[in-house]
Amino acid sequence: MESFGVNISSSTGFTLTGFPEMEGLEHWLTALLLLLYAVSILGNTLILLIIREEQSLHQPMYYFLSLLSVNDLGVSFSTLPTVLAALCFQARETAFEACLAQMFFIHFFSWTESGILLAMSFDRYVAICNPLHYSTVLTDARVAHLGMFIIIRSFCMVFPLPFLLKRLSFCKANVLTHAYCLHPDLIRLPCEDTTINSMYGLFIVISAFGVDSVLILLSYVLILRSVLAIASQEERLKTLNTCVSHICAVLIFYVPMVSVSMVHRFGKDAPEYVHKFMSMVSLCPSNAQPNYLFHQD
């Protein structure tokens, strides 16, 4: 049977897809996606410039915000080339190695963003629950070390994925579901057993998104308990207001991912373009970050 297998790594590669089911509206959907990309790129670039120039923003929370903006730019530039090529120029072929590289960066930036949001929740916890020690706990050196840890953690988790795929032979149709390369999409194509790939993918999802989301929730339970101990209602609202932007960023990051997962599992009868569009929107970086520049004290 293996004589009929085709090893894609030695052939042309993969074929990306757009929205062929919506031939009449494909241009409008493409325009909407490109608008989201433009807003994200311009918004995050503006955030970086403002934080760099404004000395009063040289604080731990804004250092994390800068890292989040850089990460969001990484997500945009990782997916934009193939989205442009597939949807605007109908260039749907991508090489095997290029596809693996794109997959690596997409998942790397996704895990990194989850870690940054967790670090931001820790920042809010210290600022609200232990404000007198805020400057001694979150020093510039510790913020830098925490940022390096988040990046190294993400790299170590994603690094094995391309190698686990390269060891497989691909003998099924080499057509991907989206206009970019994702690990869950790629492991559908090999003709060999992909149990190891699936189990490792599940492991890093639980160890990153699962653990991070639980710790973020725990931090806000502790924050809420501390806020409710404040006697003045005005002070309660003022304190909670410093968390609004971070909560929005967390929701914008996690809700689309959960929604995509729910649609894939329980909305199998939905049109294919619904799955594709929701997946693309979930990878368009969040733009809740600008609110930090106006809601933090």
Side-chain angles (χ1 to χ4, degrees):
M1 293 297 293
E2 287 187 8
S3 60
F4 295 99
V6 178
N7 192 334
I8 291 181
S9 62
S10 60
S11 63
T12 56
F14 298 98
T15 301
L16 307 169
T17 58
F19 299 93
E21 308 89 350
M22 302 186 66
E23 189 173 346
L25 298 175
E26 188 174 10
H27 295 299
W28 291 103
L29 291 173
T30 301
L32 177 58
L33 285 172
L34 293 180
L35 177 62
L36 291 174
Y37 274 109
V39 170
S40 176
I41 292 171
L42 291 175
N44 284 297
T45 302
L46 182 61
I47 290 171
L48 291 173
L49 292 175
I50 292 176
I51 294 176
R52 178 184 175 183
E53 297 299 326
E54 183 58 53
Q55 292 294 322
S56 64
L57 300 181
H58 292 181
Q59 303 174 24
M61 191 60 178
Y62 298 103
Y63 294 148
F64 290 130
L65 178 59
S66 298
L67 187 58
L68 186 62
S69 293
V70 171
N71 189 80
D72 282 354
L73 288 173
V75 174
S76 294
F77 290 122
S78 295
T79 56
L80 184 58
T82 53
V83 171
L84 278 175
L87 299 183
C88 298
F89 303 106
Q90 304 302 313
R92 303 187 186 277
E93 295 294 327
T94 182
F96 181 78
E97 299 291 344
C99 191
L100 292 185
Q102 184 184 50
M103 177 204 69
F104 172 86
F105 284 110
I106 289 175
H107 291 299
F108 168 76
F109 287 122
S110 295
W111 305 146
T112 300
E113 182 159 356
S114 179
I116 297 170
L117 292 174
L118 174 59
M120 286 179 155
S121 70
F122 176 69
D123 174 274
R124 291 297 86 200
Y125 166 76
V126 176
I128 293 174
C129 299
N130 200 2
L132 296 179
H133 295 88
Y134 180 80
S135 59
T136 57
V137 172
L138 285 170
T139 62
D140 289 351
R142 286 179 179 170
V143 170
H145 291 156
L146 187 55
M148 288 299 299
F149 171 77
I150 292 169
I151 293 171
I152 293 172
R153 185 194 73 158
S154 301
F155 179 84
C156 291
M157 287 192 298
V158 181
F159 184 73
L161 292 180
F163 297 98
L164 289 174
L165 281 167
K166 288 190 71 173
R167 68 185 178 86
L168 301 173
S169 295
F170 292 74
C171 59
K172 299 181 182 179
N174 62 343
V175 179
L176 298 177
T177 308
H178 307 289
Y180 42 78
C181 301
L182 296 175
H183 183 257
D185 205 11
L186 289 171
I187 61 174
R188 297 184 302 104
L189 304 179
C191 52
E192 300 180 37
D193 183 22
T194 59
T195 301
I196 295 177
N197 300 71
S198 299
M199 293 302 295
Y200 184 73
L202 179 61
F203 165 74
I204 60 176
V205 166
I206 294 174
S207 61
F209 291 151
V211 173
D212 289 354
S213 60
V214 169
L215 292 177
I216 290 173
L217 179 61
L218 176 62
S219 69
Y220 273 100
V221 169
L222 297 175
I223 288 172
L224 186 60
R225 187 179 68 174
S226 178
V227 169
L228 292 177
I230 301 175
S232 170
Q233 184 175 359
E234 182 180 350
E235 286 297 319
R236 290 181 188 176
L237 294 176
K238 183 179 179 181
T239 303
L240 287 174
N241 188 51
T242 66
C243 301
V244 169
S245 297
H246 179 256
I247 293 173
C248 289
V250 170
L251 292 176
I252 290 173
F253 177 71
Y254 282 104
V255 169
M257 288 193 171
V258 173
S259 300
V260 169
S261 178
M262 295 293 288
V263 167
H264 276 289
R265 284 166 174 75
F266 303 108
K268 296 182 178 179
D269 295 332
E272 185 67 24
Y273 65 82
V274 173
H275 296 267
K276 294 178 183 178
F277 186 74
M278 288 189 64
S279 181
M280 284 189 174
V281 170
S282 70
L283 278 179
C284 285
S286 68
N287 286 287
Q289 296 98 310
N291 292 322
Y292 281 106
L293 302 178
F294 306 104
H295 283 86
Q296 302 295 323
D297 289 334

